[in-house]
């Protein structure tokens, strides 16, 4: 198979990752996004028809139930979208002998470890969202086939609903922003995630084409879970401070910018508990595929350049 006839289906359309992936995968072959309104993952019947008709060599699941606090009261929908749907996609791609890629989260961990988490560290989600994503990981593993599960963290980009966009807005509106300073992780630009995924698909496509084997066969025993986040780490408060620094550099503040006040998690109660340590070690990804993501700070500047 050569790259020109690689057929890639992206599940999800307007999400942070789904949208970037649709842009960044274009030169890999034919890219087809399927998502709402025609696809509702709480009712996946329609998905079968689409996957069978298109018969992709790669299916990238960029859709998920990502409303972490809302999930606490909406377990059923979270489980359907984050566990049953990816398992069903994995099943269909196994039948097609294709490659299935899906994403998971740092929230599968309880955050008590003091060092960055490895792929084989014990999981222990603190909230329903994390539990639904972990259930999805296990369901995809149980299907088998040729799958890659990329665990990432703190995803943001120039569009959509995310921490960066919230801070950009609130910093110009409020005198003071009180931001949690005892949760640490790696803010990850969805474009970096899309690019890292594209590089891996590209590698596998080259191997599949030169050996005359399917994408699934090209992956071989490298299937499994990989951590995929930006390099480096910071607290939410540190991330907000960096965003404000970027705003100041660009003269984006017509009036005064908010001052940032670091607070402990205990002063910002939310329906869903979050891990204090969200740091993921990316060595397995680097050692297996030679792929690394840029430092979170470098990507923040790139996103801000895009916003102008
Ligand atoms: N956001 C984070 O901070 C974060 C952190 C760790 C891991 N992750 C993981 O990274 C991946 C990408 O996340 P993201 O930030 O790009 O998510 P996002 O921006 O919230 O987008 C979610 C996507 O899922 C789709 N979706 C949700 N419910 C659906 C339903 N019932 N039927 C069909 N589609 C549905 C949305 O569809 P529409 O396009 O129609 O809205 C959207 O494309 C996910 O697996 C997520 O769990 C995210």
């Amino acid at each position: 198979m050569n790259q020109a006839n690689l057929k890639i289906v992206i599940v999800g359309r307007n999400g942070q990752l789904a949208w970037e992936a649709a842009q960044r995968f274009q030169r890999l072959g034919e890219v087809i996004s399927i998502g709402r309104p025609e696809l509702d993952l709480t009712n996946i019947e329609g998905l079968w028809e689409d996957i069978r008709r298109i018969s992709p060599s790669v299916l990238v699941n960029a859709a998920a139930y990502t409303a972490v606090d809302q999930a606490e009261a909406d377990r059923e929908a979270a489980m359907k979208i984050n566990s049953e749907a990816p398992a069903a996609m994995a099943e269909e791609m196994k039948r097609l002998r294709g490659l299935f890629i899906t994403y998971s989260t740092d929230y599968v961990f309880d955050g008590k470890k003091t060092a960055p988490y490895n792929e084989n560290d014990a999981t222990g989600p603190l909230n329903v969202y994390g539990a639904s994503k972990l259930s999805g990981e296990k369901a995809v593993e149980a299907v088998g086939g040729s799958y890659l599960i990329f665990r990432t963290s703190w995803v943001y980009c120039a569009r959509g609903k995310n921490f960066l966009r919230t801070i950009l807005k609130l910093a110009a509106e409020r005198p003071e922003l009180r931001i949690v300073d005892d949760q640490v992780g790696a803010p990850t630009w969805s474009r970096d995630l899309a690019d890292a995924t594209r590089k891996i698909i590209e590698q596998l496509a080259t191997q599949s084409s030169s050996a005359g084997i399917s994408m699934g066969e090209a992956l071989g025993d490298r299937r499994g879970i990989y951590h995929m986040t930006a390099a480096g780490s910071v607290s939410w408060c540190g991330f907000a401070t960096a965003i404000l620094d970027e705003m100041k550099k660009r003269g984006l503040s017509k009036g005064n910018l908010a001052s940032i006040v670091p607070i402990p998690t205990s002063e910002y109660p939310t329906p869903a508990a979050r891990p204090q340590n969200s740091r993921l070690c990316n060595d397995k990804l680097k050692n297996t595929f030679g792929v690394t993501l840029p430092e979170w700070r470098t990507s923040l500047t790139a996103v801000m350049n895009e916003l102008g």
Side-chain angles (χ1 to χ4, degrees), residues 13-22 62 66 154-163 165 188-191 193-194:
R13 183 168 288 133
N14 293 310
Q16 304 189 82
L17 174 62
W19 191 85
E20 288 288 351
T66 55
W154 299 18
V155 179
Y156 71 98
C157 65
R159 54 200 296 285
K161 214 175 134 195
N162 57 55
F163 185 81
R165 303 241 312 163
T188 303
W189 185 15
S190 55
R191 184 173 300 171
L193 275 181

Side-chain angles (χ1 to χ4, degrees), residues 41-44 47-48 61 63-66 71 74-92 100 102-105 108 128-143 149:
L41 289 175
T42 57
N43 173 10
I44 49 182
L47 186 63
W48 304 138
N61 175 31
Y65 187 114
T66 55
D74 202 7
R75 175 180 281 268
E76 201 184 325
M79 289 301 283
K80 273 199 175 137
I81 296 168
N82 290 345
S83 182
E84 290 171 35
M89 293 176 212
E91 195 76 64
E92 203 52 34
F100 176 56
T102 191
Y103 297 82
S104 189
T105 170
V108 298
V128 168
Y129 166 74
S132 70
K133 296 295 289 187
L134 179 61
S135 168
E137 289 184 1
K138 290 187 191 302
V140 168
E141 283 174 326
V143 168
I149 298 170

